[in-house]
Amino acid sequence: MITTGHGSTEAITTTGTSEATPRELGVGMRFSLHPHTDDFVRVILDSLAEVEASGAGEGLVIETDEVSTYVGARAVPAEQDLAGYLVAAIAAASRHSGGGHVAAHVLFSRGCPGERTCDLTSTILPEVAPVRLEPTGIEAVAQWSLYPLLDGGDDAGEHMSIIEAAITRAQARGVAAPAAHYATKFTGDLAEVVATAVDAWARVGTTVPHVATHLTISVGSPTPARGT
Amino acid sequence: MITTGHGSTEAITTTGTSEATPRELGVGMRFSLHPHTDDFVRVILDSLAEVEASGAGEGLVIETDEVSTYVGARAVPAEQDLAGYLVAAIAAASRHSGGGHVAAHVLFSRGCPGERTCDLTSTILPEVAPVRLEPTGIEAVAQWSLYPLLDGGDDAGEHMSIIEAAITRAQARGVAAPAAHYATKFTGDLAEVVATAVDAWARVGTTVPHVATHLTISVGSPTPARGT
């Protein structure tokens, strides 16, 4: 059974006999846009409005609050929809700020729709097709962290093995640098950077019922050596 | 044994017979500052310089790259030092941007200094005193996520129980709202918001060898209803 947190008004129950939907699995993201300009309010609002007008939000639940925007997937292809929405929003913010410095932070999560009791051990976890996104022409640098949320046991090091395998796959795509403290650096087209993180997260999700990943993305930074 | 990742030049080995130091446990953070102003480069550099001049970085390893700043603790009181440094940096950025909108993102981690093999099962995990910080007078709103990185087993729901207990404690401090999707909202003085996250993370770290927590912090936002 999955029960949603206080943030939702619906209770969701899955059975172990059929493949779970993205909604039942709590597949979604929470992201924030940070245009480094005096005109940030206009840039953010124009960017979100443009993405909404483009239809990229169709089939998604979108809620913006003081800190971030929650985007929940209802149906397949959930990962494709989420990645497409995020890339469109960051690309729009980059354009609306005249190619200036924009940072974004995103948390993708799958496995527990709210924060309360969540037991997915009897749920069949779906395989997910890799995300396909058109290149944006926007070079991005990012830092990526992956959290497979296993439950306790004696299988020492299993969560690290999962993380290491995911880093190795991201490196094979040409996006990831060697791992650094707490995060792995990604460089490449904005679309490929996001796709690499989303594919890694979705892949771990086929064997681990609850997995989150965080990505801090920077585009248009004028200070590559010191751009905190 | 702990071996550090490619980001470090040192190999670190702990024994199971003595209490591990913060350095051996890989206690540290990675944060980014996002002043929403045309003058963001000056604000960031002046803020980091001010914090450095204040001596808040003493005993810490500090490395800034294109995306974020890594701060590693070497000795106790590690959590106090990290929290103090972060609060000083955000408060300085708020001042240097004239009280304008500044967002910050921080990842705290303990348990694996690099990304490679990490087995802390035989290491004694230290109890940590709560962080004590002077109020800043700066109101902050934040979203907080906590990741206890257990290894695999049949103890279904254990990681969620740990998260739920931490949320309940943060609520008892008066900082945390009811949980929402993927994150719990914090409001309060910047110092108390950071202290609540750091104390929760340190407390989980006394029983779970590897635990990370993420905090997205916003101060000075002029758009409380839409500030993405």
Side-chain angles (χ1 to χ4, degrees):
Chain A
M1 188 194 70
I2 308 170
T3 56
T4 59
H6 294 233
S8 172
T9 55
E10 299 168 86
I12 300 170
T13 303
T14 61
T15 69
T17 55
S18 63
E19 194 162 298
T21 68
R23 179 174 166 239
E24 289 165 341
L25 287 173
V27 178
M29 66 180 175
R30 188 174 276 287
F31 76 98
S32 52
L33 289 175
H34 305 295
H36 289 63
T37 166
D38 293 348
D39 209 16
F40 69 94
V41 173
R42 181 192 60 77
V43 170
I44 292 170
L45 296 182
D46 286 0
S47 301
L48 293 180
E50 180 183 310
V51 174
E52 194 167 329
S54 75
E58 266 178 43
L60 301 172
V61 178
I62 299 167
E63 296 164 11
T64 295
D65 64 28
E66 302 102 302
V67 179
S68 63
T69 295
Y70 162 75
V71 185
R74 313 288 285 183
V76 291
E79 293 74 13
Q80 176 76 32
D81 291 350
L82 295 170
Y85 189 94
L86 179 68
V87 168
I90 298 171
S94 176
R95 277 195 311 278
H96 285 290
S97 62
H101 180 32
V102 176
H105 187 80
V106 60
L107 175 182
F108 291 97
S109 183
R110 60 195 309 121
C112 289
E115 282 60 41
R116 297 295 160 182
T117 313
C118 177
D119 176 7
L120 291 168
T121 49
S122 63
T123 301
I124 297 167
L125 300 168
E127 294 277 343
V128 174
V131 165
R132 301 278 173 218
L133 298 170
E134 289 294 312
T136 61
I138 300 170
E139 281 298 302
V141 57
Q143 283 173 349
W144 172 61
S145 299
L146 177 69
Y147 303 114
L149 294 162
L150 302 165
D151 287 310
D154 295 328
D155 200 353
E158 186 187 353
H159 76 276
M160 286 306 294
S161 303
I162 293 168
I163 293 170
E164 286 163 24
I167 292 172
T168 300
R169 285 192 297 272
Q171 287 168 339
R173 288 176 75 146
V175 170
H181 292 293
Y182 316 143
T184 299
K185 181 178 168 183
F186 283 2
T187 51
D189 187 277
L190 171 63
E192 180 64 7
V193 162
V194 170
T196 300
V198 169
D199 286 348
W201 163 70
R203 180 163 179 163
V204 173
T206 60
T207 56
V208 180
H210 189 191
V211 53
T213 196
H214 282 250
L215 195 63
T216 298
I217 303 167
S218 171
V219 301
S221 173
T223 52
R226 292 279 304 183
T228 304
Chain B
M1 190 194 69
I2 309 170
T3 55
T4 59
H6 294 233
S8 172
T9 55
E10 299 169 85
I12 300 170
T13 303
T14 62
T15 70
T17 54
S18 62
E19 194 163 296
T21 67
R23 177 172 167 239
E24 288 165 341
L25 287 173
V27 177
M29 67 180 175
R30 187 174 277 288
F31 77 98
S32 52
L33 289 175
H34 305 294
H36 290 63
T37 166
D38 294 347
D39 209 16
F40 68 94
V41 173
R42 181 193 60 77
V43 171
I44 292 170
L45 297 183
D46 286 0
S47 302
L48 294 180
E50 179 182 311
V51 175
E52 195 169 327
S54 76
E58 264 176 45
L60 300 171
V61 178
I62 300 167
E63 296 164 9
T64 295
D65 63 28
E66 302 101 303
V67 179
S68 63
T69 295
Y70 161 74
V71 185
R74 313 288 284 181
V76 291
E79 293 73 16
Q80 176 75 31
D81 290 349
L82 294 171
Y85 190 94
L86 179 68
V87 168
I90 298 171
S94 176
R95 277 197 311 277
H96 285 292
S97 62
H101 179 34
V102 176
H105 186 80
V106 60
L107 175 183
F108 291 96
S109 183
R110 59 195 309 120
C112 289
E115 282 59 41
R116 298 296 160 180
T117 313
C118 178
D119 176 9
L120 290 168
T121 49
S122 64
T123 301
I124 297 166
L125 300 167
E127 295 279 342
V128 173
V131 165
R132 301 277 173 221
L133 298 170
E134 289 295 311
T136 61
I138 300 170
E139 280 299 300
V141 56
Q143 283 172 349
W144 171 61
S145 300
L146 178 68
Y147 303 113
L149 295 163
L150 302 165
D151 287 309
D154 295 328
D155 200 353
E158 186 187 351
H159 76 276
M160 285 306 294
S161 304
I162 293 168
I163 293 169
E164 286 163 24
I167 291 171
T168 299
R169 284 193 298 270
Q171 287 168 340
R173 287 177 77 145
V175 170
H181 292 294
Y182 317 144
T184 298
K185 181 178 168 183
F186 283 2
T187 51
D189 186 277
L190 171 62
E192 180 61 8
V193 163
V194 169
T196 300
V198 169
D199 286 347
W201 163 70
R203 179 162 178 161
V204 173
T206 59
T207 57
V208 180
H210 190 189
V211 52
T213 196
H214 283 251
L215 195 64
T216 299
I217 303 166
S218 172
V219 301
S221 174
T223 54
R226 293 279 302 182
T228 303

